[in-house]
Amino acid sequence: MAQEFLEQREANPDVAKRTSDTNRTHINKVSSFIGNDPIRSKTPDDIQNLLNDLRNPDHPLNNGKGASGTYAEKVYATLKQIFDFALKRGYVKENVVKSDEVAAPQRDTAFNRLGSKKTSYVGQRSILYATAETQSISSRQPMSDGGDRTDVDLEYPTLPPYTP
C-alpha cells in the first residue's frame, strides 16, 4: 500500500520531486518501526507509540539519537496523507492518525526544548541538549578547522511560573 501511495504521489504533477522523496524517506523510517503489518491493523495506540519511539533516543532503531519534534511532525503529516489515501481506496475504515488519541508532535521551539525533561535539537551549527532539572544547556559546536567538537555549558535563569 505504501508503494502505491508513493507511485501516486510521484505521478502527480502538482507534487514536487523533493516532496515525493521526503515521503519515501518518512515511509522507510516508519517501516523500520512498524514492520510489515497491514495498515488496517493499526490503531491510534500504534501510531502514538510509533511517534513516541521516533523521538526516543534510547529506542534501538534510533542509534542513540531521537528525532526532533519538527521531524516527527513531518512524519506525522506523511502518515496522515498515507491513511487518507488508504481511506479513499477502502483499505481502512478511518484515519487513525487523526484520532483524538494521537497527540500531534510539536515543532521544536526554544520553549519546548527547554521545557521538556530532555530534548535534543539539531541546529545549523550546534546541537543543544536541554535538561529542565539542571537548568543548563550543553552545546556541542564544530571546530572551525573541522576537528573535534567543543562542549560549552551555558546556564540560563529559571523562569517564574506563568500567572495570568
Side-chain angles (χ1 to χ4, degrees):
M1 202 290 306
Q3 186 60 37
E4 187 179 344
F5 169 78
L6 288 171
E7 289 170 1
Q8 181 264 340
R9 298 284 286 171
E10 290 168 355
N12 186 340
D14 294 332
V15 177
K17 181 179 179 346
R18 183 173 176 177
T19 301
S20 331
D21 292 346
T22 299
N23 290 150
R24 183 176 300 283
T25 300
H26 293 164
I27 288 170
N28 288 340
K29 184 68 171 178
V30 166
S31 296
S32 64
F33 282 87
I34 62 174
N36 294 322
D37 295 338
I39 193 168
R40 68 181 166 277
S41 71
K42 297 302 168 199
T43 66
D45 284 342
D46 293 331
I47 301 301
Q48 188 62 61
N49 289 337
L50 178 147
L51 294 169
N52 292 343
D53 290 346
L54 190 63
R55 301 278 326 260
N56 181 358
D58 297 327
H59 191 280
L61 294 173
N62 287 334
N63 300 321
K65 298 176 185 177
S68 70
T70 303
Y71 182 78
E73 181 188 46
K74 291 176 181 183
V75 169
Y76 172 80
T78 299
L79 286 171
K80 284 195 306 186
Q81 292 172 347
I82 291 169
F83 274 85
D84 280 342
F85 176 82
L87 185 61
K88 287 177 187 172
R89 300 287 171 127
Y91 298 141
V92 296
K93 294 180 181 176
E94 66 175 322
N95 185 337
V96 296
V97 181
K98 292 181 178 178
S99 167
D100 291 340
E101 298 172 40
V102 177
Q106 300 298 307
R107 286 182 179 265
D108 289 323
T109 64
F111 177 77
N112 69 20
R113 281 195 309 273
L114 298 178
S116 64
K117 184 174 179 184
K118 183 173 183 181
T119 304
S120 61
Y121 166 73
V122 179
Q124 287 182 340
R125 305 242 346 128
S126 65
I127 302 173
L128 298 179
Y129 298 94
T131 306
E133 293 88 20
T134 61
Q135 300 295 315
S136 67
I137 300 172
S138 179
S139 174
R140 291 178 41 196
Q141 299 182 344
M143 302 290 283
S144 59
D145 64 359
D148 291 335
R149 296 173 180 257
T150 59
D151 288 332
V152 179
D153 288 327
L154 308 169
E155 295 295 323
Y156 62 91
T158 304
L159 299 174
Y162 173 75
T163 52

